[in-house]
């Protein structure tokens, strides 16, 4: 299913192994925010993984985990078509409907992009600039470049 910014979609995971896939078009580099409303009484964790649609190996750009209703963000370093996968991490999820609403803010000033784990994809930093980074799991690295 296709997602549009600021429009909610309702989905349902009928079992712990069920997966929901969505596609979304990102107009420019920037931050994709996902507002997730989980079913009442949800005790398990749910995840949303985002990767470029053209990726053959599903290397993801970001993963956010929801333990309850909330809003999480993923910084995307380039425009293009992306896929999202929604799934329950544990078998203690509810099979009731969830609601997902994507929003987007363009621009990368002061944010870390993904992927930035190689010299060719390193984020540029200005001297004295602070950028919050996030390592999604062990073995991941973030690279930055500066001009002196």
């Amino acid at each position: 299913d296709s997602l549009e910014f600021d429009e909610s979609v309702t989905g349902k995971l009928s079992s712990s192994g069920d997966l929901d896939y969505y596609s979304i078009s990102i107009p420019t580099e920037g931050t994709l925010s996902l507002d997730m409303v989980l079913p009442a009484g949800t005790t398990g964790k749910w995840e949303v993984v985002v990767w470029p649609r053209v990726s053959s190996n599903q290397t993801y750009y970001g993963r956010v985990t929801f333990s309850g209703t909330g809003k999480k963000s993923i910084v995307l370093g380039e425009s293009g078509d992306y896929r999202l996968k929604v799934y329950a991490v544990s078998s203690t999820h509810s099979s009731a409907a969830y609601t997902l609403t994507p929003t987007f803010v363009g621009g990368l000033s002061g944010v870390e992009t993904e992927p930035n784990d190689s010299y060719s994809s390193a984020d540029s930093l200005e001297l004295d600039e602070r950028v919050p980074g996030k390592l999604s799991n062990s073995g991941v690295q973030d690279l930055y470049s500066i001009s002196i």
Side-chain angles (χ1 to χ4, degrees):
D1 293 339
S2 292
L3 294 176
E4 299 294 330
F5 298 123
D6 302 311
E7 291 186 18
S8 297
V9 64
T10 300
K12 181 179 179 180
L13 298 178
S14 58
S15 67
S16 62
D18 193 8
L19 305 170
D20 283 352
Y21 289 93
Y22 299 97
S23 61
I24 192 165
S25 184
I26 303 297
T28 184
E29 56 195 21
T31 303
L32 173 66
S33 294
L34 302 169
D35 191 357
M36 183 82 139
V37 178
L38 295 178
T42 297
T43 58
K45 294 181 179 180
W46 294 41
E47 289 190 344
V48 180
V49 178
V50 178
W51 73 92
R53 189 173 185 101
V54 297
S55 175
S56 60
N57 61 2
Q58 293 189 6
T59 300
Y60 66 87
Y61 273 25
R63 174 189 317 235
V64 291
T65 302
F66 295 90
S67 296
T69 294
K71 188 173 192 173
K72 306 276 178 115
S73 297
I74 299 171
V75 176
L76 302 173
E78 58 191 15
S79 63
D81 293 326
Y82 287 80
R83 294 203 40 154
L84 286 77
K85 177 171 65 173
V86 178
Y87 61 98
V89 177
S90 63
S91 60
T92 59
H93 79 287
S94 168
S95 61
Y98 66 85
T99 303
L100 181 65
T101 308
T103 57
F104 183 78
V105 175
L108 295 179
S109 179
V111 297
E112 173 207 6
T113 65
E114 293 294 343
N116 66 334
D117 57 356
S118 69
Y119 294 115
S120 63
S121 63
D123 286 336
S124 296
L125 288 178
E126 299 295 326
L127 293 175
D128 297 322
E129 178 183 15
R130 285 184 180 212
V131 174
K134 180 179 178 184
L135 298 174
S136 57
N137 54 46
S138 64
V140 172
Q141 62 181 356
D142 288 337
L143 298 179
Y144 298 90
S145 66
I146 58 171
S147 294
I148 300 178

